[in-house]
């Protein structure tokens, strides 16, 4: 009822189920395939407004689970994505060896997601897998923006119903 379109309603239900004393069993053998037509714009919009912001709002109220979308490598990739532009800004101002910081961040992101790129290379080609790196960066930047926006929105005081 809180989600007018499909997004993370299953996750929110899981949080409520656990809070009520229920348990959730995950079977990694069960897999589904979502049939969607993606464009860059629809990917960013969906990841930001239907996933990242609602996720951040949920995480503001609940402890962070250590499974699903929250592997350590995912968390570090998002952190490095937030740091890389800041490091590039410093490098622009200072020059020289400072350029190693944003480059190292990008290399680390690629290394942390090596399994994804190996899968993509097997499914397509090495060149197409490499071309997906900018898309990964867009996705991770969307996660950073959604996390920040979701926390800010969740932390705002709620107005009483009907209040201006």
């Amino acid at each position: 009822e809180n989600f007018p379109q499909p997004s993370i309603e299953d996750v929110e239900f899981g949080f409520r189920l656990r809070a009520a004393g229920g348990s959730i069993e995950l079977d990694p053998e069960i897999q589904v395939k979502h049939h969607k037509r993606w464009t860059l714009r629809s990917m960013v919009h969906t990841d930001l407004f239907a996933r990242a912001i609602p996720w951040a709002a949920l995480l503001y109220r609940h402890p962070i689970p250590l499974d699903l979308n929250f592997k350590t490598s995912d968390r570090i990739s998002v952190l490095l994505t937030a740091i890389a532009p800041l490091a590039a800004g410093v490098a622009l101002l200072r020059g020289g060896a400072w350029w190693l910081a944003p480059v190292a961040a990008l290399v680390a992101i690629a290394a942390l997601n090596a399994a994804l790129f190996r899968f993509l290379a097997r499914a397509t080609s090495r060149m197409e897998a490499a071309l997906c790196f900018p898309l990964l960066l867009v996705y991770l930047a969307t996660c950073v923006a959604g996390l920040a926006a979701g926390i800010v929105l969740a932390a705002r005081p709620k107005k009483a119903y009907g209040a201006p």
Side-chain angles (χ1 to χ4, degrees), residues 120-136:
L120 292 170
R122 283 192 310 272
T124 59
S125 69
R126 286 183 179 172
M127 178 58 80
E128 288 182 74
L131 291 172
C132 288
F133 186 67
L135 286 176
L136 175 64

Side-chain angles (χ1 to χ4, degrees), residues 87-104:
V90 170
L92 280 170
L93 295 173
R94 303 277 182 146
W98 286 97
W99 281 106
L100 293 175
V103 170

Side-chain angles (χ1 to χ4, degrees), residues 75-92:
R75 294 174 189 198
I76 295 170
S77 292
V78 169
L79 178 63
L80 289 170
T81 302
I83 291 171
L86 300 174
V90 170
L92 280 170

Side-chain angles (χ1 to χ4, degrees), residues 29-146:
E29 297 297 316
I30 299 173
Q31 297 194 13
V32 299
K33 183 175 184 177
H34 293 272
H35 295 278
K36 299 176 183 168
R37 178 172 138 47
W38 288 108
T39 63
L40 181 61
R41 182 178 176 174
S42 68
M43 179 191 85
V44 169
H45 184 272
T46 298
D47 283 341
L48 184 61
F49 294 106
R51 293 195 182 111
I53 291 174
W55 258 112
L58 276 177
L59 294 177
Y60 186 80
R61 293 185 291 277
H62 299 280
I64 298 175
L66 296 176
D67 54 4
L68 297 175
N69 300 27
F70 296 103
K71 296 182 297 192
T72 301
S73 61
D74 297 332
R75 294 174 189 198
I76 295 170
S77 292
V78 169
L79 178 63
L80 289 170
T81 302
I83 291 171
L86 300 174
V90 170
L92 280 170
L93 295 173
R94 303 277 182 146
W98 286 97
W99 281 106
L100 293 175
V103 170
L106 294 175
V107 169
I109 291 168
L112 287 166
N113 291 279
L116 169 65
F117 293 112
R118 281 192 298 274
F119 166 77
L120 292 170
R122 283 192 310 272
T124 59
S125 69
R126 286 183 179 172
M127 178 58 80
E128 288 182 74
L131 291 172
C132 288
F133 186 67
L135 286 176
L136 175 64
L137 294 177
V138 168
Y139 166 74
L140 292 170
T142 304
C143 292
V144 170

